[in-house]
Amino acid sequence: MVQTIRDANLPLPGTHVRILKAVCYVQACTARRIAQRMRRDKAQITRVLNDLLEAGLISKACNPADKRSHLLHPTPAGEAMMQRIQELEQQTLTRMTCDLTQAEVEHFIRIAWHMTQNLEGDLPPDS
C-alpha cells in the first residue's frame, strides 16, 4: 500500500493517511481516541493532526462532552483525499488477491485477525 501511495504521488506520509482514516471513521473522534487506538504518544498524534489541519484536510470543533478536547472531522478536501486513498487501497487489494480464491482470502483474513488479537492480549510469550 505504501508503494501504491508513493506511485500515485499522494502528498501524505503513511502516518498521516492512518490518522486521516481515523478522523473519517472513528465516531466522536478526538486526538486522545486516536492515540489510544494507534497506541501512540498523543503529542505525536497532535503533530500529525496539526499538519492535516494546516493542509485543510480536517477541522476541529469544541467537544460538548469534554471542553478540554476537540472533535475532529474531515473537510470536503479530506473526504476527497479519503476517497482517493480508498481507490488506491482497492487497486492494491485487487493486485494482492488476483490469483487467490475467495475462500483463500477469507482464510487469510481469519488468520491475520487471530494473529492481531494474539498481539493485543496479554498472553505469555510461550502461549
Side-chain angles (χ1 to χ4, degrees):
M1 186 63 214
V2 171
Q3 187 61 44
T4 301
I5 287 175
R6 221 178 271 135
D7 292 347
N9 294 319
L10 209 65
L12 295 177
T15 302
H16 289 60
V17 169
R18 286 190 298 278
I19 292 175
L20 179 59
K21 281 183 178 184
V23 171
C24 290
Y25 299 123
V26 172
Q27 281 194 315
C29 187
T30 64
R32 183 180 190 152
R33 288 190 75 185
I34 295 172
Q36 289 170 337
R37 185 180 184 106
M38 294 181 71
R39 296 177 184 210
R40 300 279 183 169
D41 178 57
K42 187 172 174 277
Q44 179 187 16
I45 299 300
T46 300
R47 282 190 294 276
V48 173
L49 288 170
N50 286 335
D51 290 346
L52 295 173
L53 279 163
E54 188 176 308
L57 298 173
I58 65 170
S59 64
K60 62 183 181 178
C62 290
N63 183 351
D66 180 357
K67 300 295 184 200
R68 298 168 296 164
S69 70
H70 292 93
L71 294 176
L72 304 166
H73 303 282
T75 63
E79 290 173 353
M81 180 67 73
M82 195 69 249
Q83 179 65 36
R84 180 70 178 125
I85 291 165
Q86 289 172 333
E87 291 167 2
L88 294 170
E89 286 177 339
Q90 186 58 50
Q91 290 173 12
T92 301
L93 180 62
T94 299
R95 284 182 55 208
M96 289 173 60
T97 60
C98 68
D99 295 330
L100 300 175
T101 66
Q102 185 63 32
E104 289 170 327
V105 171
E106 290 170 5
H107 184 68
F108 170 78
I109 290 169
R110 278 193 305 277
I111 290 171
W113 182 85
H114 282 289
M115 292 171 77
T116 302
Q117 293 305 303
N118 289 343
L119 292 175
E120 301 273 329
D122 293 327
L123 297 174
D126 295 333
S127 292

